[in-house]
Amino acid sequence: MKKSFWIMFLYFLCLSAAAQHPAFTAAEKDSVVERVAELLEQNYVFPDKAKDMGNYIRSQYQRKAYDQVNSYQHFAQAMSSDLQKAHRDGHLNLKNDPGLVKMLKSWKSASEPGPEVLREHLRKAERSNFGFTKVERLPGNIGYINFTQFFPVSEQARQTVAAAMAFVANTDAVVLDMRYNGGGHPEMVQLVMSYFFDVKPIHYNSIYDRPRNTTKEYHTLAEVDGERMPKTDLYVLTSSNTFSAAKELTYNLQSLKRATIVGETTAGGAHPVQPFIVNDQLVLDIPVARSINAITQTNWEGTGVLPDVKVEADKALLKAQELALNELLLSSTDAQDRTPLEWELQYVKSELQPVQLDKKVQSKYAGRYGERIVRVQGNELYYEQKGKAERKLIPITDTIFRIEGIPNLRVEMVKDEKGNVKKLLELREGGGFNEFARSH
């Protein structure tokens, strides 16, 4: 996962020099084919598939499939296509990028950037608050954390995580938003996960590295800064853009039955990628490692992480709020606690399934109710309190409306047995109401 992160950061960090398109000889083509086949056989995460791919591009070369290809760019495209025919892997790619070759040569090793890249990376990490973009307390005492990157665990990053977790430590449920998280370092996954488990370490994942033939185990941490939330209801939001380490966090929590996953199926890639220099023009991205979940003994490669509750990404937060509020209502016996939960749940449901009133219904509600007036304007209802500006009424149900801009007040239309509107109630969030009889 760490290798994947550095590759992705490398692309964001700089725009490589425009790819050049020099012509190259048959001897150079032969050299590239052999180099690509050897790199795959030495490093690809599945040795048998590596051999199949190597044999296939060699046979294509012998069949003169690349004879009419006269530039590195087109050669890279043709060979990438052939590699995918031999074995489908969306992370495997040969590309013409001499600028990237030059930068890779400046790295300390194939997986460790040089000092100038590290310095720039730390600067960008600090300026982006280590990926944490939003932490808030939602109505119903639900904590919400949105972060878009798993940066390396520096001391500054650790403090940022601790501050985010401290903010939501007293909430009754927590939502982690991974919908647009681009992934990153497994050590940050480990740190974030650890806040939602007890102090006893739990083995949740291992990463096998093919080039080094090593397997590293990952456990939740025995120590974190601040409070843990091992019993707090946890929800993770996903989309088709949830990537890399964000998918690992999601898969780990789902496998351990620690969180409810809400949203869309993630993309399927589960294998960390490392770039290899083929020559001064070409770079080959090779999946070199694979996650091995401690519970399932597999990973999400090819399938993605399937949500527990499937919903469009733009509605995932609302759906998680609905699920959390329902759970909190089930566990609550105190009427004072239940009232605000029911108030918020009513709103969330109306946002998930908006209510549309036709003109005939709207016209029945229009009128004067003591010091209150309801009017139809265009396709909307508007509400006027004495001496105050008109505000739009937004239907929550067929008879209950929220008042735009006033979250702690709602309007309910009360009908008689014949269906005629006889009065209007102004409902207050904490309970209670004001009643206004219809006068016109």
Side-chain angles (χ1 to χ4, degrees):
M1 210 71 67
K2 185 182 292 186
K3 298 184 186 76
S4 296
F5 176 80
W6 284 119
I7 295 162
M8 181 176 59
F9 176 70
L10 185 62
Y11 296 153
F12 286 127
L13 183 62
C14 71
L15 293 173
S16 297
Q20 302 171 22
H21 311 302
F24 60 114
T25 65
E28 288 173 318
K29 292 179 185 178
D30 180 72
S31 175
V32 168
V33 169
E34 284 305 312
R35 172 68 172 160
V36 168
E38 289 171 4
L39 286 171
L40 288 170
E41 290 166 7
Q42 293 166 6
N43 300 284
Y44 188 67
V45 64
F46 297 117
D48 56 336
K49 299 300 182 183
K51 188 167 290 188
D52 291 343
M53 288 186 286
N55 289 337
Y56 185 71
I57 60 173
R58 285 186 179 111
S59 67
Q60 285 291 85
Y61 178 71
Q62 292 298 324
R63 295 189 188 108
K64 303 184 183 301
Y66 308 126
D67 279 9
Q68 302 306 312
V69 181
N70 297 314
S71 74
Y72 274 107
Q73 181 186 31
H74 295 139
F75 186 79
Q77 292 170 349
M79 185 170 288
S80 291
S81 176
D82 281 345
L83 290 171
Q84 295 298 320
K85 291 174 185 176
H87 174 60
R88 181 67 182 169
D89 188 326
H91 283 161
L92 180 67
N93 185 41
L94 179 67
K95 54 183 176 284
N96 175 213
D97 196 335
L100 179 56
V101 172
K102 184 177 179 181
M103 178 165 283
L104 289 172
K105 286 182 176 180
S106 73
W107 286 25
K108 294 179 181 179
S109 68
S111 61
E112 187 177 0
E116 70 285 349
V117 175
L118 291 171
R119 283 193 298 271
E120 178 63 12
H121 175 52
L122 180 58
R123 186 187 72 82
K124 290 177 73 71
E126 291 173 343
R127 286 183 60 81
S128 64
N129 199 39
F130 299 95
F132 286 79
T133 61
K134 195 173 194 179
V135 182
E136 65 178 319
R137 177 183 173 275
L138 300 173
N141 200 32
I142 298 171
Y144 172 78
I145 300 175
N146 185 353
F147 58 111
T148 58
Q149 202 75 59
F150 288 85
F151 282 92
V153 183
S154 63
E155 182 55 35
Q156 301 99 311
R158 191 185 304 276
Q159 292 174 9
T160 302
V161 175
M165 296 302 174
F167 188 89
V168 301
N170 295 316
T171 57
D172 296 317
V174 172
V175 177
L176 298 179
D177 196 339
M178 298 284 105
R179 285 177 291 180
Y180 305 102
N181 190 299
H185 279 237
E187 287 75 19
M188 181 59 86
V189 173
Q190 181 182 47
L191 177 59
V192 171
M193 279 187 59
S194 297
Y195 278 89
F196 298 99
F197 292 88
D198 285 318
V199 296
K200 184 180 179 181
I202 298 172
H203 176 213
Y204 60 85
N205 192 42
S206 299
I207 296 180
Y208 168 70
D209 187 302
R210 163 83 195 288
R212 295 168 180 79
N213 194 30
T214 60
T215 300
K216 182 176 181 179
E217 290 189 353
Y218 286 87
H219 300 75
T220 55
L221 300 172
E223 295 183 7
V224 297
D225 298 327
E227 292 184 46
R228 294 173 182 265
M229 295 166 275
K231 303 298 182 183
T232 303
D233 287 345
L234 184 60
Y235 301 85
V236 179
L237 310 185
T238 60
S239 77
S240 58
N241 294 302
T242 304
F243 188 70
S244 185
K247 290 185 287 190
E248 191 216 321
L249 175 80
T250 303
Y251 190 83
N252 293 338
L253 291 171
Q254 184 182 59
S255 300
L256 290 164
K257 301 187 185 303
R258 180 61 189 89
T260 301
I261 314 304
V262 183
E264 298 172 344
T265 301
T266 70
H271 298 153
V273 177
Q274 182 173 319
F276 291 86
I277 296 171
V278 177
N279 61 17
D280 287 342
Q281 295 290 326
L282 300 171
V283 175
L284 180 64
D285 289 337
I286 301 179
V288 296
R290 60 189 176 94
S291 292
I292 307 170
N293 182 270
I295 306 301
T296 66
Q297 294 300 303
T298 184
N299 57 47
W300 58 93
E301 178 69 25
T303 63
V305 182
L306 304 177
D308 300 307
V309 180
K310 191 170 184 178
V311 65
E312 297 90 342
D314 60 354
K315 292 185 177 180
L317 177 55
L318 285 167
K319 190 62 181 180
Q321 289 177 265
E322 181 187 39
L323 295 169
L325 290 165
N326 276 320
E327 284 297 316
L328 293 172
L329 279 167
L330 285 173
S331 61
S332 175
T333 57
D334 189 310
Q336 284 189 323
D337 291 338
R338 292 179 63 85
T339 298
L341 295 174
E342 290 168 343
W343 179 275
E344 183 61 19
L345 181 59
Q346 193 177 54
Y347 162 73
V348 168
K349 285 183 174 180
S350 72
E351 287 292 288
L352 279 168
Q353 295 182 316
V355 175
Q356 300 292 334
L357 300 180
D358 61 34
K359 276 291 187 73
K360 186 176 180 180
V361 173
Q362 290 178 347
S363 64
K364 287 184 178 181
Y365 291 157
R368 182 179 293 274
Y369 300 82
E371 297 180 336
R372 305 294 189 259
I373 298 174
V374 176
R375 294 188 179 92
V376 178
Q377 295 185 27
N379 293 317
E380 309 286 352
L381 285 173
Y382 282 80
Y383 188 60
E384 182 183 338
Q385 298 169 296
K386 186 178 181 180
K388 298 182 180 180
E390 283 186 331
R391 292 180 180 271
K392 185 163 67 174
L393 292 178
I394 303 169
I396 291 177
T397 69
D398 289 344
T399 58
I400 298 175
F401 300 79
R402 59 186 176 95
I403 306 171
E404 189 173 56
I406 309 179
N408 61 346
L409 200 65
R410 290 177 185 168
V411 168
E412 180 176 4
M413 302 296 185
V414 181
K415 301 177 183 180
D416 60 21
E417 63 277 1
K418 294 182 180 180
N420 299 314
V421 182
K422 62 179 184 178
K423 61 183 176 181
L424 175 154
L425 304 180
E426 276 187 354
L427 310 174
R428 293 189 293 273
E429 182 177 2
F433 59 88
N434 292 325
E435 182 175 318
F436 300 90
R438 185 165 192 163
S439 55
H440 178 68

